[in-house]
Amino acid sequence: MHSYTKKRKVRLARFIVILFILLLIAVTMIGIVANRLEQSQALSAIPTEKPSNQLVEVDQLIKKYKVVIDAGHGGKDPGAEGVSGQREKLFTMSLSAKVYDLLKLDERFEPYMTRSDDTFIDLDERPEIANQMNADAFVSIHANTYTDPSVGGTETFYRHDDSIQLAQVVHDSVVKELGFDDRGIKNGQLKVLSLSKVPAILLEVGYLTNPAQEAALLSEDGQDRTARAIVDGLKQYFMNKPQEAIIHS
């Protein structure tokens, strides 16, 4: 009887030891599984190429404001003659190119020019370029003249009501920068404006027949300042219209 009891205790001890070993193994396995699960979750949180692609897709949805810059006159149409003999078509081409270059520096804008050299373009064709591409704005750049050399100032024309805000904002920006007399914005029955189906303005920056204003308009500094003022006006106009900040289809 004593021998049987002793053997039973030995078996029980062995069972407890085996049970303890199995428990240790189970705890160890649980720890390994938990550690691997944690590592898997950590790896899944690391950005991969897919989010990068998604960012590219979002970037492609950012609105590109299409702005058509129209350098007035050109080719066989020289435009007005200044007191120095300089013709308007050369001034408008130079200034328009500067406006174009500044807009190209801003990824929000997609500028176009109706002409990039001394070429004649019919008045009907100029607004049609903007209409065909469904542009967001059409800006025709000009300079004024008058028989009285003391007359000067900046004035801006629009034709349709949807162009009033564009005319006012760009006009104010140019007047503030150049300091010429403010001749205001006016509703003008000009062909390039009347035929436009998009917001369109014609900017008469200053008077080439006014010696002081011509000197400013033909100078590199004066044109740089004018170009910045026009671009600043365009930015202000579009940034105040966030509801339109969607991509062109």
Side-chain angles (χ1 to χ4, degrees), residues 159-174:
R159 183 69 185 103
H160 306 296
D161 289 347
D162 64 352
S163 303
I164 295 176
Q165 183 182 358
L166 175 62
Q168 191 67 68
V169 174
V170 174
H171 176 84
D172 289 347
S173 181
V174 173

Side-chain angles (χ1 to χ4, degrees), residues 113-183:
M113 296 182 69
T114 56
R115 67 182 181 94
S116 57
D117 53 26
D118 189 16
T119 303
F120 174 77
I121 299 178
D122 191 83
L123 292 179
D124 293 352
E125 295 179 29
R126 296 171 187 257
E128 187 58 23
I129 293 173
N131 295 339
Q132 287 295 325
M133 66 176 58
N134 191 28
D136 296 285
F138 174 86
V139 180
S140 189
I141 295 176
H142 290 256
N144 231 327
T145 60
Y146 194 63
T147 54
D148 184 349
S150 66
V151 174
T154 301
E155 58 187 335
T156 304
F157 294 90
Y158 68 92
R159 183 69 185 103
H160 306 296
D161 289 347
D162 64 352
S163 303
I164 295 176
Q165 183 182 358
L166 175 62
Q168 191 67 68
V169 174
V170 174
H171 176 84
D172 289 347
S173 181
V174 173
V175 169
K176 180 179 179 181
E177 177 61 36
L178 297 181
F180 296 167
D181 290 342
D182 185 352
R183 300 177 66 88

Side-chain angles (χ1 to χ4, degrees), residues 3 8-9 39 42 48 62 73 75 85 91 101-102 118-119 125 131 136 151-152 154 162 169 179 181 191 197 212 242:
S3 176
R8 187 177 180 183
K9 288 182 177 179
Q39 289 178 349
T48 62
I62 295 176
H73 307 285
F91 161 72
D101 289 341
L102 287 177
D118 189 16
T119 303
E125 295 179 29
N131 295 339
D136 296 285
V151 174
T154 301
D162 64 352
V169 174
D181 290 342
K191 182 173 284 190
K197 298 177 182 177

Side-chain angles (χ1 to χ4, degrees), residues 20 22 25 83:
F20 180 74
L22 290 174
I25 293 173
V83 291

Side-chain angles (χ1 to χ4, degrees), residues 37-216:
L37 181 61
E38 183 176 334
Q39 289 178 349
S40 177
Q41 291 175 338
L43 288 173
S44 66
I46 298 175
T48 62
E49 291 301 319
K50 188 173 182 180
S52 176
N53 293 336
Q54 290 174 345
L55 287 176
V56 171
E57 292 173 0
V58 171
D59 181 64
Q60 290 172 349
L61 293 177
I62 295 176
K63 166 78 174 199
K64 296 286 188 180
Y65 292 108
K66 295 182 179 180
V67 179
V68 175
I69 306 300
D70 175 44
H73 307 285
K76 65 181 182 181
D77 175 15
E81 182 177 355
V83 291
S84 68
Q86 177 75 279
R87 302 312 295 252
E88 183 183 358
K89 68 175 183 178
L90 300 178
F91 161 72
T92 62
M93 183 68 259
S94 178
L95 178 56
S96 295
K98 290 178 181 292
V99 172
Y100 174 87
D101 289 341
L102 287 177
L103 287 175
K104 286 288 286 185
L105 297 176
D106 192 321
E107 62 180 6
R108 295 170 297 181
F109 290 92
E110 195 173 326
Y112 296 84
M113 296 182 69
T114 56
R115 67 182 181 94
S116 57
D117 53 26
D118 189 16
T119 303
F120 174 77
I121 299 178
D122 191 83
L123 292 179
D124 293 352
E125 295 179 29
R126 296 171 187 257
E128 187 58 23
I129 293 173
N131 295 339
Q132 287 295 325
M133 66 176 58
N134 191 28
D136 296 285
F138 174 86
V139 180
S140 189
I141 295 176
H142 290 256
N144 231 327
T145 60
Y146 194 63
T147 54
D148 184 349
S150 66
V151 174
T154 301
E155 58 187 335
T156 304
F157 294 90
Y158 68 92
R159 183 69 185 103
H160 306 296
D161 289 347
D162 64 352
S163 303
I164 295 176
Q165 183 182 358
L166 175 62
Q168 191 67 68
V169 174
V170 174
H171 176 84
D172 289 347
S173 181
V174 173
V175 169
K176 180 179 179 181
E177 177 61 36
L178 297 181
F180 296 167
D181 290 342
D182 185 352
R183 300 177 66 88
I185 66 170
K186 304 171 182 178
N187 189 317
Q189 297 186 25
L190 304 171
K191 182 173 284 190
V192 294
L193 301 181
S194 298
L195 296 179
S196 178
K197 298 177 182 177
V198 305
I201 62 173
L202 188 147
L203 178 65
E204 296 278 9
V205 182
Y207 279 70
L208 292 177
T209 47
N210 180 304
Q213 290 190 8
E214 186 203 45

